[in-house]
Amino acid sequence: MSKRNSIVKALAEKFKIIDGSTGYRTNIYNNSFAKLKFWDETSDFPSIYVVAGSEAREYHPSNFTWGYLGVSLKIYCKGEDSQQLLEDLLEDVENVIDANRVLVYDETNGYETTEILVTSITTDEGLLAPYAIGEINLQVRYQIM
């Protein structure tokens, strides 16, 4: 499996910790997936879909290279107060990201990210009520061997 896919899968697994307990406001019922699905194809809410985007490389001497992977999180909620549900889930997702800035994505080889940063957060701003859609874009820095 590629490093890109491994990072996406590891992130999707980490979001499954959002279960409404231990400081989390939302229970996603394990609805976190390492693939892309659009809101109109989704039947289980709330859901988080994690996909890899573009990647940039930064080359240094001694065969050292940083990879900067863009990762997009599509977050879908549905309910009477869908915007509040979405805001709560966005906060929960940010808390998971903050707690896992260094993320082991391949235990066999000992690969881990160096840094995970939130670069943007956008929402549908209530246009799709009773649905709510959010997107968080991340920048994941990791060492390329």
Side-chain angles (χ1 to χ4, degrees):
M1 182 181 320
S2 73
K3 290 182 180 181
R4 292 167 51 91
N5 286 336
S6 295
I7 290 169
V8 166
K9 283 188 174 201
L11 278 169
E13 281 301 310
K14 282 294 179 187
F15 294 130
K16 290 182 179 182
I17 196 171
I18 301 172
D19 63 0
S21 66
T22 322
Y24 295 108
R25 296 177 176 190
T26 310
N27 187 347
I28 65 166
Y29 306 98
N30 287 326
N31 290 327
S32 178
F33 308 98
K35 63 181 181 178
L36 178 61
K37 213 173 194 185
F38 295 103
W39 70 273
D40 59 342
E41 301 171 315
T42 303
S43 57
D44 295 323
F45 295 93
S47 295
I48 302 171
Y49 293 91
V50 185
V51 292
S54 62
E55 184 171 342
R57 302 279 170 93
E58 186 178 284
Y59 296 95
H60 295 275
S62 300
N63 257 356
F64 183 82
T65 305
W66 285 121
Y68 296 92
L69 176 63
V71 174
S72 181
L73 311 177
K74 310 295 187 196
I75 301 169
Y76 307 132
C77 294
K78 181 181 178 184
E80 194 170 304
D81 191 5
S82 59
Q83 284 301 302
Q84 186 59 52
L85 295 171
L86 178 62
E87 289 299 325
D88 291 345
L89 183 50
L90 289 171
E91 186 174 321
D92 289 343
V93 168
E94 281 188 271
N95 290 335
V96 171
I97 292 166
D98 288 342
N100 292 282
R101 291 206 184 278
V102 176
L103 175 67
V104 175
Y105 60 89
D106 185 341
E107 290 184 19
T108 305
N109 295 309
Y111 296 156
E112 61 185 20
T113 64
T114 304
E115 182 177 55
I116 301 175
L117 301 174
V118 174
T119 58
S120 68
I121 300 174
T122 57
T123 71
D124 70 322
E125 299 177 7
L127 294 175
L128 296 172
Y131 297 95
I133 299 173
E135 180 177 34
I136 297 179
N137 289 304
L138 306 175
Q139 181 185 61
V140 179
R141 181 170 64 152
Y142 69 100
Q143 183 178 350
I144 298 177
M145 307 289 177

